[in-house]
Amino acid sequence: MPKHIDGGLTNTRNAPHVLAAVQALLHCSAMVDFILDDLEHRESCKSLLCMCCALFKLYDEIEKRGIGNPTTFVHKWNDVSKMMSAADRSSPLKVLEIFIDKLRFEQVDRNDE
């Protein structure tokens, strides 16, 4: 199994900054290892908003089809970026920062349960 994803994302809703951030996450071997090794969580997760589960589903889709639809991440970004400046809303680095923070907070919340 590759340590990063070999495939692409469909260009949805004119959000290249979100696509760049998601591609970066899926090309990070430590992130791929994390989402693949998180089987116990995926089997018990009931949240439709779980970032880790969404990354796994996208990874799995790309592995099977060679291309994935990142619409979930575009919607997540649109929800959290409404109050940001235009520069921050279109920054791949800001998207990465927010998505990584969300993953980190999800992990902390799981450990507190």
Side-chain angles (χ1 to χ4, degrees):
M1 189 166 283
K3 287 290 190 182
H4 70 278
I5 193 68
D6 289 321
L9 301 172
T10 57
N11 190 3
T12 58
R13 299 179 60 143
N14 234 1
H17 52 293
V18 176
L19 302 181
V22 172
Q23 281 279 50
L25 288 172
L26 292 175
H27 276 82
C28 175
S29 61
M31 180 60 65
V32 171
D33 286 345
F34 173 75
I35 64 173
L36 293 178
D37 291 343
D38 204 21
L39 180 61
E40 184 179 334
H41 166 74
R42 284 195 314 275
E43 289 177 344
S44 63
C45 183
K46 304 289 187 244
S47 173
L48 298 175
L49 304 175
C50 179
M51 180 70 77
C52 188
C53 291
L55 272 173
F56 175 79
K57 288 174 188 169
L58 183 59
Y59 179 93
D60 192 52
E61 180 181 8
I62 295 169
E63 276 289 296
K64 289 176 181 169
R65 297 180 48 227
I67 193 162
N69 186 337
T71 303
T72 299
F73 297 94
V74 174
H75 290 304
K76 285 179 186 292
W77 181 246
N78 289 338
D79 288 343
V80 300
S81 67
K82 290 177 184 171
M83 303 303 282
M84 292 181 184
S85 68
D88 280 349
R89 275 195 316 273
S90 62
S91 167
L93 292 175
K94 192 56 141 175
V95 177
L96 265 175
E97 176 188 343
I98 299 296
F99 283 1
I100 289 170
D101 278 350
K102 175 100 171 99
L103 285 162
R104 185 171 52 90
F105 289 129
E106 285 177 1
Q107 185 66 31
V108 168
D109 285 347
R110 272 190 255 161
N111 291 338
D112 286 345
E113 293 177 353

